[in-house]
Amino acid sequence: MPDPVLLIHGGAWSIPDDMVEAHLNGVHNALAAGWRMLARGGAALDAVEEAVVIMEDDETFDAGRGSFLNRDGKVQLDALIMDGSTLRAGGVGCVERLRNPVRAARKILSDSPHVYFVAEGAERFAAEHGIPLCRNEDLIIPREVERLRGFQARAADANVDLFAPTISHDTVGAVALDGSGNISAATSTGGTLNKAPGRLGDSSLIGCGCYADNQTAAASTTGWGEPIMKLVLAKWAADHVATGSLPEWVAAEAINYLKDRVNGHGGMILLDALGRFGIAHNTPRMAWALKTSKHESYGIERKN
Ligand code: ASP
């Protein structure tokens, strides 16, 4: 029986000094929730869902309540969850009335023959499957109203394009290996600040922001979504693990490839079914947390 592993990230960017503690607390709480599932013999799929729910509920992160606002001042959320043992996946995109989009994604994975729902159709599916809808205003916090206002004012003054892919990336994600030898991944995001309404990033796209296959690896990414999408980066990394390369090396190579090929930036967590893992980012910081039965660690600074 493999020893379970849980690995979490809480976004890759220049996390300011005064937000470091909140990020580390957030990944710590998520790690505890996910680990509770694994420790009692639960599935990797349940562990990544629970870990991501904790971070969606934490206003520190760009997921669930407290997410960045789009150009219209609304929260629009994307999430994906994937089971590496069956390759079943569930994704939602551009949802505005779900506190925990990963819960809806999980319902799609479990209860639907489809893989992906967007906007009102996703919300309707969630409501029909017992997930309560909230108002979009319930997801908006004053900090983000201020942030959007400030950004739009600066952009108007400078007469630049009103899109902020490079400012901050607080998407959350988790990958896990359970005691049955199965791996899973989940990723959830509010996307990028001031994004155009209807813009979908990489996070909830299968193989881009999230992927899991027992035969290769489980991956969750964060960062500037458009370059990550162009490279289908999570699947790229999983496929490289399948060729025999170590996840530690592959995660670093994936981020190098992102930079070299499309000038992207971001971070990745990667885990294979043997419990070998990789953590990499080319942003100054990425909050992450790792737990096995023998070891627990956290990090935020780039090492090189
Ligand atoms: N990748 C996300 C997106 O582009 C943003 C993030 O990682 O924070 O939507």
Side-chain angles (χ1 to χ4, degrees):
M1 276 299 168
D3 195 16
V5 181
L6 181 61
L7 179 56
I8 283 168
H9 75 77
W13 56 293
S14 308
I15 299 169
D17 291 344
D18 63 356
M19 290 182 74
V20 164
E21 200 182 328
H23 279 74
L24 289 173
N25 279 340
V27 291
H28 179 269
N29 294 337
L31 196 72
W35 188 257
R36 274 195 292 277
M37 307 300 296
L38 292 175
R40 61 168 185 252
L45 195 60
D46 295 325
V48 295
E49 179 183 353
E50 292 312 313
V52 165
V53 162
I54 296 293
M55 293 187 284
E56 288 178 337
D57 288 342
D58 184 336
E59 293 173 9
T60 303
F61 300 107
D62 177 33
R65 181 175 152 83
S67 286
F68 294 141
L69 302 180
N70 71 9
R71 202 172 59 196
D72 290 350
K74 282 186 153 189
V75 166
Q76 253 185 8
L77 304 170
D78 312 326
L80 187 93
I81 187 165
M82 185 161 184
D83 175 6
S85 63
T86 60
L87 299 191
R88 292 185 74 173
V92 293
C94 297
V95 292
E96 297 182 354
R97 294 187 298 155
L98 291 171
R99 280 184 184 276
N100 295 110
V102 76
R103 291 260 191 248
R106 174 66 191 270
K107 274 282 177 212
I108 292 166
L109 180 153
S110 312
D111 294 10
S112 169
H114 307 305
V115 168
Y116 207 94
F117 284 77
V118 297
E120 291 87 359
E123 292 164 359
R124 193 193 308 173
F125 176 92
E128 286 169 0
H129 289 77
I131 296 176
L133 300 183
C134 64
R135 299 173 311 156
N136 194 255
E137 302 85 81
D138 298 333
L139 303 173
I140 297 174
I141 62 173
R143 178 193 73 202
E144 293 308 321
V145 174
E146 277 308 302
R147 194 200 302 271
L148 181 69
R149 218 175 262 154
F151 176 76
Q152 290 186 336
R154 281 194 304 281
D157 284 351
N159 200 18
V160 295
D161 193 13
L162 283 177
F163 179 55
T166 57
I167 292 178
S168 56
H169 300 292
D170 260 336
T171 291
V172 304
V175 292
L177 165 66
D178 62 30
S180 304
N182 295 318
I183 53 175
S184 290
T187 307
S188 182
T189 190
T192 46
L193 174 63
N194 201 47
K195 66 185 180 181
R199 176 264 187 191
L200 193 75
D202 61 309
S203 305
S204 66
L205 292 180
I206 196 165
C208 299
C210 187
Y211 195 72
D213 180 351
N214 280 5
Q215 294 181 7
T216 60
S220 174
T221 68
T222 175
W224 181 10
E226 280 74 7
I228 293 172
M229 285 156 70
K230 289 172 188 169
L231 301 181
V232 198
L233 198 65
K235 179 73 160 74
W236 183 96
D239 287 348
H240 277 72
V241 173
T243 66
S245 301
L246 284 174
E248 185 183 353
W249 183 84
V250 173
E253 277 309 297
I255 298 303
N256 290 341
Y257 177 45
L258 178 66
K259 174 71 187 158
D260 295 346
R261 185 70 183 92
V262 283
N263 199 25
H265 60 264
M268 171 181 286
I269 54 175
L270 187 63
L271 174 70
D272 73 7
L274 297 175
R276 301 175 304 183
F277 63 87
I279 303 165
H281 55 108
N282 62 359
T283 49
R285 286 175 167 156
M286 178 173 83
W288 59 266
L290 169 76
K291 190 163 171 61
T292 69
S293 60
K294 299 180 199 69
H295 171 91
E296 187 171 317
S297 53
Y298 301 86
I300 198 157
E301 304 290 346
R302 193 167 66 200
K303 289 206 187 73
N304 44 32

